[in-house]
Amino acid sequence: MQADREKTLRMIKTARGQLDGIIKMVEEDRYCMEISNQLLAAQSILRKVNREIIHAHLQHCVRQSLESEDSQAAQQKIEELMTLFDKL
């Protein structure tokens, strides 16, 4: 992985902490809008870390494939990105 490992782990652990808090909120039968706001915050962190990982992938892996003379490897990276974009 080419993304900043420490930053990535910190963000994912923050999201995990938020999810643990959300579970507790549901167990305590907290107000729906409070739960929803916390869910949105966790999703936001996960989206941000995913963007960072994709950015690093483009800057390193995809760039290397395109700069190499291996057109099959470059095509594979493009197809991987297209599949990922379809999921987004």
Side-chain angles (χ1 to χ4, degrees):
M1 183 174 80
Q2 298 296 326
D4 181 341
R5 179 178 289 216
E6 293 303 316
K7 183 177 180 181
T8 298
L9 283 172
R10 186 177 65 250
M11 293 172 74
I12 292 171
K13 288 178 181 180
T14 298
R16 178 177 61 187
Q18 286 181 315
L19 290 173
D20 289 340
I22 293 166
I23 290 169
K24 186 175 179 183
M25 291 173 77
V26 171
E27 291 171 345
E28 294 172 352
D29 201 26
R30 298 272 297 272
Y31 184 55
C32 297
M33 294 309 295
E34 291 176 15
I35 295 170
S36 182
N37 282 324
Q38 291 304 310
L39 285 167
L40 290 171
Q43 289 172 342
S44 176
I45 289 175
L46 292 173
R47 272 194 305 276
K48 183 176 179 180
V49 73
N50 195 34
R51 271 194 314 270
E52 299 233 356
I53 290 170
I54 293 169
H55 178 79
H57 180 68
L58 286 167
Q59 291 296 323
H60 298 281
C61 301
V62 174
R63 178 178 282 161
Q64 285 177 342
S65 291
L66 293 173
E67 290 174 350
S68 76
E69 294 186 22
D70 186 355
S71 63
Q72 186 175 4
Q75 183 61 35
Q76 180 183 3
K77 296 295 182 197
I78 292 169
E79 289 173 11
E80 289 173 348
L81 285 170
M82 295 305 293
T83 300
L84 179 67
F85 292 151
D86 287 342
K87 293 177 184 177
L88 296 174

